[in-house]
Amino acid sequence: MIFKKKPQPETEKNPIPTSTPANENKLDEALAVDIRLPRIIYTDHEHKHITLKESESRYRRLFETAKDGILILDGDTGRIMDANPFLQDMLGYSEKELIGRALWEIGAVKDIPASQEAMRELQKNEYIRYEDIPLQTKAGDRKHVEFVSNVYLVDGWRVIQCNIRDITDRKRAEAQVLATNDKLTALVNELQWRDKQMQLMNRMNELLQSCITRDEAFRVITLSAADLFPGHNGSLAILPSRNENLVVVARWGEELIMEPIFSLDDCWSLRLGKIHEVIDWEAGLLCNHFIHPPQGGYFCLPLTVQGETLGVLSLIDNTVQKGEHPPGLKQLAVTVSETIKLSLSNLRLRDELRQQAIQDPLTGLFNRRYLDETLPRELNRAQRLNSPLCVVMLDIDGFKQFNDSFGHGPGDSLLCEFASVLREHLRKSDISCRYGGDEFVLVMPDSSIVDTQQRVEQIRVLLEELQHIQGGQQSLETITLSAGIAYMPDHGTTEIELMKAADEAMYRAKQEGRNRVVVYQKPSQSMELAAALG
């Protein structure tokens, strides 16, 4: 075949003659001697033969020095007819191991199904190009190659020439670029998520600072935690007061996994006073406040401020995983817990300060400050709804003499007992305030004069029965009550008018002999009543 290595051609019969010194031109002579080389004349057949030889020689040099692999296949049998040195070095096979064998019979192809099918397609198509085909070297290494095949005729025989370019380094570089790009993308995504976390944290902190009640704060925590911890269940449980069970007040996630009420001893983080992390529920030390064991592990973070336990924050992973929790998750949970506990502590302090500002420390009833804030609001509501409202002024008869006779201790006990009577026998919508000393004010929305009079009369009788209170060794006498009732809108529509009317009615009850309930009457009505009685 023309693709086999050929021996060097013999010396031509008519060699080109060489010049001799006798034939050289003499530059110092006046006339140059015309010396001509003899012309060699070739026949057409000889010229074609020389051209073919030169073409074969050039092709062989290209074939053997090419930096790509070249295979010559028999177009009918698919067997290898020739393989250049570069391909032999690339695959690690000798020329003897390649020549005469089908392409899919050599180890480079036979163990790769995709390559086998690709090689079989060579016999069916005149031109095939594969941008990436994996080949295996004799040593077992994988090579990625770019494969191009062409079919042409040589002396009437179909020949397939396959150009095989090693792109392993390029594929490796591409893989490195892709890996680097993936890392950069992951880093960008991580930075974007961190930025979003900061925005969510700032938003949650801003909303918590604006909350007035703890219920509002619990709602903010529920919504914010769901955004901060996607793919996690969680809950916030608080301790309402000391030596009581914790109560779950906020939940997020898809699954209900926490007990609604549990004790302090059920949580390891509260026992230890620090974060408790469980990665593998089968090997970890589980808390007892879960309905069922968390399959993906969890965090429990105690909410403690200056040694006082406020509650516990629990974060449960929805996915079952092995190994450590995602990086940054633990720190985020700690940051969120710090924000939550400071906000709850501030709300508790705010509530305590407000209670101190509006609550009488002795009786536990509201004080005059609260009355000044609440009465105008209740009056506006009653006017808007066109509903009745009564204001009652109460005074314990002879309390000053009682205090002077028995001391402040029994006097304070009497006031506390009277406050208990008010709390037990008034509606939840009624407002009871200690106005000052032994005077009390009741605000009774949606209550008519008759209903109010009956209720206050009941309280007067109950107070009168408190005659067995002991002050040291001395028995106390019967305690009585004088009360005045003012009704809106008949007796006034403002807090000043109603308070004045109730106060005048109370003094009238004292003037008429004490221990009674009197409804306010306008001066004209009083005069008409006196004239009728006179």
Side-chain angles (χ1 to χ4, degrees), residues 351-379:
D351 290 342
E352 290 177 356
L353 291 175
R354 176 169 173 77
Q355 286 301 113
Q356 292 175 5
I358 66 175
Q359 194 174 48
D360 178 57
L362 176 63
T363 63
L365 301 178
F366 293 114
N367 58 18
R368 185 167 181 173
R369 181 195 300 270
Y370 184 79
L371 177 66
D372 293 339
E373 293 178 359
T374 306
L375 183 55
R377 183 171 63 248
E378 291 296 329
L379 291 175

Side-chain angles (χ1 to χ4, degrees), residues 125-149:
N125 300 278
E126 294 186 355
Y127 175 81
I128 291 181
R129 178 185 178 88
Y130 297 105
E131 294 185 356
D132 184 11
I133 289 183
L135 298 180
Q136 183 170 299
T137 67
K138 187 177 181 179
D141 299 329
R142 287 295 180 97
K143 294 281 189 179
H144 290 272
V145 300
E146 186 179 70
F147 193 98
V148 178
S149 70

Side-chain angles (χ1 to χ4, degrees), residues 257-270:
I257 196 170
M258 291 281 291
E259 295 284 356
I261 300 175
F262 57 92
S263 69
L264 287 165
D265 295 336
D266 288 336
C267 184
W268 280 103
S269 70
L270 295 176

Side-chain angles (χ1 to χ4, degrees), residues 188-199:
V188 170
N189 292 336
E190 178 69 16
L191 292 175
Q192 290 176 345
W193 172 235
R194 292 290 178 87
D195 181 64
K196 184 178 180 181
Q197 285 179 348
M198 291 298 298
Q199 294 178 9

